[in-house]
Amino acid sequence: MSGVVHVPAGHPAPLDLFTPLGERVWADGWDPRFPDPGSAPDAAGSVFTVSHDGETTVWTILEHEPGRRIRYFRVRPGVHAGSLEVLLAGDASARVSYDLTALSHAGAVQNAHLQQHVQHMLDEWSVAIRASHEHGDSAER
């Protein structure tokens, strides 16, 4: 499952919008918690959790090539597990790709919904990013 997120032209560090702390700027409810406060929040191997709609997802940064790409492994226990990659394109856009395996019937339902609506979700991300950019929010708060 993949699609494109449009990043405002001239954004000084577009990939930072997809780091654990950078996403706080534009994603409502995104509040990563780091169990190891000594770890670098955007380095490979960093682990964090995000709770949303009563469910907690555990995230691990697998690879981070600043300015180019970030890849995560994520698991929502009992629901689904898999990877998420954000690859920056030269035209002020980012390709976001999910590869998730359902761990339950609920996971299969969520994956099917995501498959059908991934580009709509990413379009909403584009709108939120543009709004945050227009308000002058920094990449990390």
Side-chain angles (χ1 to χ4, degrees):
M1 297 172 265
S2 65
V4 174
V5 174
H6 299 283
V7 177
H11 193 286
L15 191 65
D16 287 356
L17 295 166
F18 302 98
T19 63
L21 296 179
E23 199 160 327
R24 281 183 176 164
V25 172
W26 58 269
D28 284 339
W30 180 265
D31 189 21
R33 302 291 180 192
F34 297 87
D36 179 2
S39 69
D42 62 353
S46 181
V47 174
F48 61 98
T49 62
V50 175
S51 296
H52 186 68
D53 292 336
E55 295 184 296
T56 298
T57 302
V58 179
W59 296 77
T60 302
I61 298 176
L62 297 175
E63 298 175 66
H64 184 195
E65 300 172 43
R68 184 179 179 291
R69 176 183 139 181
I70 191 163
R71 198 164 70 91
Y72 297 95
F73 177 79
R74 54 171 275 170
V75 63
R76 184 170 293 157
V79 180
H80 53 220
S83 64
L84 168 68
E85 178 181 56
V86 180
L87 181 61
L88 214 53
D91 64 349
S93 66
R95 173 150 298 280
V96 176
S97 301
Y98 286 89
D99 184 8
L100 298 173
T101 299
L103 302 175
S104 64
H105 175 71
V109 169
Q110 285 185 20
N111 288 359
H113 184 266
L114 181 60
Q115 177 71 38
Q116 291 178 337
H117 302 285
V118 69
Q119 189 56 58
H120 176 74
M121 176 187 74
L122 298 178
D123 289 343
E124 289 177 345
W125 291 10
S126 296
V127 169
I129 289 168
R130 184 174 49 252
S132 116
H133 182 72
E134 289 171 358
H135 287 100
D137 293 339
S138 65
E140 293 189 15
R141 305 188 232 196

